[in-house]
Amino acid sequence: MANATRFDEIVFMDDFFRSSDNSLPSHPANRRFLHKAFRHSASRLGIVCREEYARSDGGRLDVAAMMKALGLAPTPAGWAKASAADLTPVAEMGLMPMLTPRTLVIGWGLTPSLMHFIERSGAAFVDLEISPIRFTSHLAFCARTNDRQIEAALGGWHIDEELFWNEAIVLEGYFSRRGPSLLFDRDMTVGLFCGQTAVDLALIRDGEIAHPIDGLDEIRELASSVDLLLIKPHPYESDLRHLTRLASQISNVAWTDSNIYALMCADNLSFVCGLSSGALREAAYFMKPAVPLIEADRNRRNKLPAACSDWQITEPGILSMQALSKICGRTDGLTQRPARFPDDALDRAFAVRWGWDAQSPGLRAAPELAVDQVYDFQAGQPATAWLNFGWSAPEGSGVWTGGTRACLVIPLASSAPANATELRARIEGLLFVGTSSRNPIVRAWIGGRQADVQTAGGTTGETEVRFVLKAPSTDIPKARVLVLEFDITDPLRPCDCGLGADARRLGFHLQRLSVEWLCVSAEAVAPDVESPATPLHTPAARPVRHAVQVAIAAAVCVGALVASLPPTRTGEPAQVSVSASRWHQLQHTLAMGLGVVRDDIHTLLHHG
């Protein structure tokens, strides 16, 4: 009959091995989406629909028994091996779904092992996902199949690649009007590493989960070709430990949460690299070289069924009655392409855009740092443009970290002076203190060197904290940016501490920063044949030097206090009226000076 279909049933399936049976979260929403999206059309065609999924998620498939039959551990590592395993032993035990040549499997993120099983059953499959090209005005599908007739049907909804080039042109124009076209400094070269979720089917290579640290040698070589390597974590991955391991092994690295497409539009971005991120495909349309570090099993020809087609990027219209009719072999008028299917169908269904949307900001114009100047981080201050990663929105008193990692990237006006021996950054702020004994621990680094930290007493909610970060000038002889990193252990949510409804994960509240170069005078470095080779070993040298430093620091504090007071007329009582800004400056000067006095007295008494 002309209106008969090739299939009696459609089975909706995902990677059911990814379940709590293997200590992994499942993602049933994608499978349910496919079922809901196709079932009305299938019903109109007289085709029965069903879902197959793990028993631990309420289905009938005993994944625990399957793993035992395969001799694999019920762990994420075992799941990775199962993705490319021969499932024949499991099928022979009757544990796999029943499929026939009149079954069409529509799956989301099918693994190579599942595709082989489906093909051995004589069934056809359509493997669907959201297209990795996500900067277009609307989301699209990518699809592949083991059936040539279905492949031809999908081709009717294929998106011409020229659309992607056109959309990239639009984005270039968009971001050119919303910020600078350069990252940090026009003379800098920058690379970008795109992170992924730590456990992802796209990371499985030869049956094992790849990690960023596995590509260290190649990434380090790429980093050496640029002034700075930026790491951009995946927006859905809150655990950054897999990226922190990588970052700790590369000297010229910084973190970023800038929009991925704003980064790709930057004129001084030299390359985009990653393990297997979809952003690597997108980079080509922005004329940026892409360096994938692995080829995932799910895309390797020798791991897939011989009949499996290449991926096609298709319109959402494959969800239409006409598309399903054609996929199922109907030859009557129902197979004619509809006049219109909603272009934004996937946008509405997923209610999220992984990259660009109409509110995406451009790159931030960051001012160059002037040494010996104090910078504040209240809302509206220029220094807030240095908040490159991991910060909440600036407030009236400063800005809180928003997780376990934060980063400042500060353009420098010039390189180190010729006689500089050390760069020193002083950072002041507050540590969030909850109502329990377990409070955040904050560590700071400059050039891989951990800072000295001082804390003062405080009340519930905050404690004063000061970091002194030091780096030898040889570590950053020609650096164009200064990178300061913060690691926050156990950030707390105020709402969990009975301190209001704030659900942010707070750790450190950055308020002020100043930077100085410590230099050696010409007299200090001139050779003196009458002096010992190591004059600091002279017993009397250090006490005298520290005593002088203490006196100078005290004089600075007194001088700052006197300078802040307005002059008075002879014979008239003093009318002291200090402006709020002047008082703030005075407080800061006294605090910094007293800090020096305290530190030097400590050194004099304990080490002098």
Side-chain angles (χ1 to χ4, degrees):
M1 293 172 54
N3 61 352
T5 63
R6 297 173 55 198
F7 306 110
D8 297 329
E9 65 171 354
I10 299 178
V11 175
F12 296 95
M13 189 185 298
D14 56 13
D15 176 13
F16 48 76
F17 283 95
R18 180 172 179 138
S19 68
S20 59
D21 301 287
N22 287 322
S23 302
L24 288 170
S26 59
H27 299 295
N30 295 323
R31 182 191 68 252
R32 291 199 299 260
F33 160 71
L34 291 178
H35 187 186
K36 293 288 188 180
F38 281 106
R39 70 172 182 171
H40 288 293
S41 296
S43 179
R44 291 167 64 189
L45 292 171
I47 301 175
V48 176
C49 296
R50 61 185 168 95
E51 294 184 45
E52 291 285 3
Y53 50 100
R55 181 179 294 175
S56 56
D57 285 333
R60 69 170 200 86
L61 301 180
D62 190 344
V63 173
M66 293 180 185
M67 295 298 288
K68 187 174 181 180
L70 293 171
L72 298 175
T75 62
W79 161 77
K81 292 185 181 300
S83 71
D86 182 354
L87 301 181
T88 301
V90 181
E92 290 175 347
M93 295 177 64
L95 297 172
M96 293 296 288
M98 293 297 297
L99 306 176
T100 74
R102 293 191 61 81
T103 301
L104 171 63
V105 176
I106 299 181
W108 188 280
L110 295 177
T111 64
S113 61
L114 288 174
M115 286 189 276
H116 278 290
F117 162 72
I118 295 167
E119 185 161 271
R120 283 195 297 268
S121 301
F125 65 77
V126 177
D127 186 21
L128 291 174
E129 286 190 355
I130 295 296
S131 165
I133 310 298
R134 294 172 183 168
F135 58 78
T136 52
S137 299
H138 301 293
L139 294 175
F141 280 120
C142 60
R144 58 184 175 181
T145 180
N146 64 333
D147 185 280
R148 299 287 76 83
Q149 186 173 335
I150 295 176
E151 183 180 8
L154 293 173
W157 277 263
H158 174 71
I159 297 176
D160 191 287
E161 187 182 24
E162 199 62 32
L163 172 69
F164 307 140
W165 289 103
N166 293 339
E167 294 266 14
I169 291 171
V170 173
L171 274 187
E172 292 272 8
Y174 173 91
F175 285 114
S176 71
R177 296 178 59 86
R178 284 162 177 79
S181 59
L182 295 162
L183 286 160
F184 312 121
D185 185 279
R186 68 175 57 255
D187 295 323
M188 280 188 66
T189 55
V190 181
L192 176 64
F193 179 90
C194 297
Q196 296 168 247
T197 52
V199 179
D200 189 334
L201 184 60
L203 292 177
I204 299 178
R205 175 185 57 182
D206 295 326
E208 295 184 350
I209 302 172
H211 304 282
I213 196 68
D214 299 335
L216 176 60
D217 291 342
E218 193 168 356
I219 298 169
R220 192 181 268 159
E221 183 177 352
L222 287 167
S224 69
S225 69
V226 292
D227 296 313
L228 187 68
L229 177 68
L230 292 176
I231 293 180
K232 180 170 175 58
H234 192 282
Y236 290 170
E237 183 57 83
S238 59
D239 187 349
L240 303 178
R241 287 176 296 178
H242 63 301
L243 292 173
T244 301
R245 288 183 63 203
L246 173 69
S248 66
Q249 301 299 314
I250 300 173
S251 59
N252 59 327
V253 71
W255 300 69
T256 182
D257 52 18
S258 293
N259 180 274
I260 184 71
Y261 304 121
L263 294 169
M264 288 191 186
C265 289
D267 293 340
N268 58 340
L269 184 68
S270 298
F271 62 81
V272 180
C273 67
L275 293 179
S276 60
S277 170
L280 303 176
R281 280 226 23 211
E282 297 176 305
Y285 297 103
F286 296 89
M287 308 300 289
K288 297 298 189 290
V291 185
L293 300 175
I294 70 166
E295 184 179 18
D297 287 349
R298 66 194 306 256
N299 291 323
R300 293 169 67 178
R301 272 282 156 210
N302 64 342
K303 299 288 186 181
L304 301 174
C308 184
S309 67
D310 293 330
W311 287 108
Q312 294 188 57
I313 298 181
T314 67
E315 300 172 10
I318 63 172
L319 299 174
S320 67
M321 174 68 174
Q322 290 75 12
L324 186 60
S325 297
K326 198 166 185 178
I327 287 171
C328 294
R330 286 283 288 259
T331 58
D332 56 14
L334 284 177
T335 60
Q336 296 301 310
R337 183 174 173 133
R340 183 180 179 277
F341 191 87
D343 292 331
D344 63 349
L346 297 179
D347 306 356
R348 283 190 271 165
F350 284 82
V352 65
R353 296 301 302 273
W354 288 264
W356 176 79
D357 60 42
Q359 285 74 47
S360 296
L363 299 176
R364 289 169 285 215
E368 291 183 332
L369 178 139
V371 296
D372 301 320
Q373 179 175 329
V374 178
Y375 290 92
D376 295 314
F377 287 86
Q378 294 98 329
Q381 292 295 315
T384 57
W386 298 337
L387 305 173
N388 217 58
F389 178 81
W391 302 93
S392 301
E395 303 171 0
S397 59
V399 56
W400 285 102
T401 54
T404 60
R405 197 82 181 179
C407 179
L408 293 172
V409 179
I410 307 172
L412 298 177
S414 59
S415 56
N419 61 339
T421 59
E422 182 180 85
L423 182 143
R424 182 171 295 180
R426 297 181 183 273
I427 296 175
E428 298 177 21
L430 302 173
L431 182 68
F432 183 78
V433 178
T435 54
S436 67
S437 59
R438 185 170 184 173
N439 290 309
I441 299 172
V442 182
R443 302 175 182 87
W445 283 270
I446 179 172
R449 297 172 182 270
Q450 189 169 334
D452 299 329
V453 60
Q454 298 172 354
T455 60
T459 60
T460 298
E462 61 182 40
T463 291
E464 294 181 2
V465 63
R466 181 174 65 143
F467 296 98
V468 180
L469 298 95
K470 305 172 185 178
S473 59
T474 52
D475 283 6
I476 39 179
K478 297 180 180 178
R480 298 188 180 277
V481 294
L482 181 65
V483 178
L484 307 180
E485 295 183 72
F486 299 85
D487 177 76
I488 300 91
T489 302
D490 297 325
L492 295 174
R493 301 194 311 166
C495 62
D496 295 334
C497 304
L499 300 174
D502 192 342
R504 293 175 298 169
R505 300 166 66 213
L506 305 182
F508 175 59
H509 189 63
L510 173 62
Q511 295 179 313
R512 284 175 294 279
L513 173 146
S514 63
V515 174
E516 62 178 337
W517 287 106
L518 300 186
C519 301
V520 178
S521 66
E523 292 80 4
V525 298
D528 185 353
V529 296
E530 299 298 327
S531 300
T534 55
L536 292 182
H537 292 173
T538 305
R542 286 189 297 182
V544 173
R545 185 181 74 250
H546 284 299
V548 172
Q549 289 177 340
V550 170
I552 292 173
V556 169
C557 294
V558 173
L561 177 62
V562 172
S564 69
L565 302 177
T568 61
R569 297 178 182 177
T570 305
E572 295 182 4
Q575 302 293 323
V576 180
S577 176
V578 183
S579 69
S581 61
R582 186 61 176 159
W583 178 244
H584 173 77
Q585 181 180 355
L586 173 62
Q587 285 180 308
H588 176 73
T589 303
L590 290 173
M592 296 291 281
L594 289 172
V596 172
V597 172
R598 182 187 62 232
D599 294 347
D600 284 330
I601 289 177
H602 179 274
T603 302
L604 178 62
L605 294 177
H606 291 82
H607 303 287

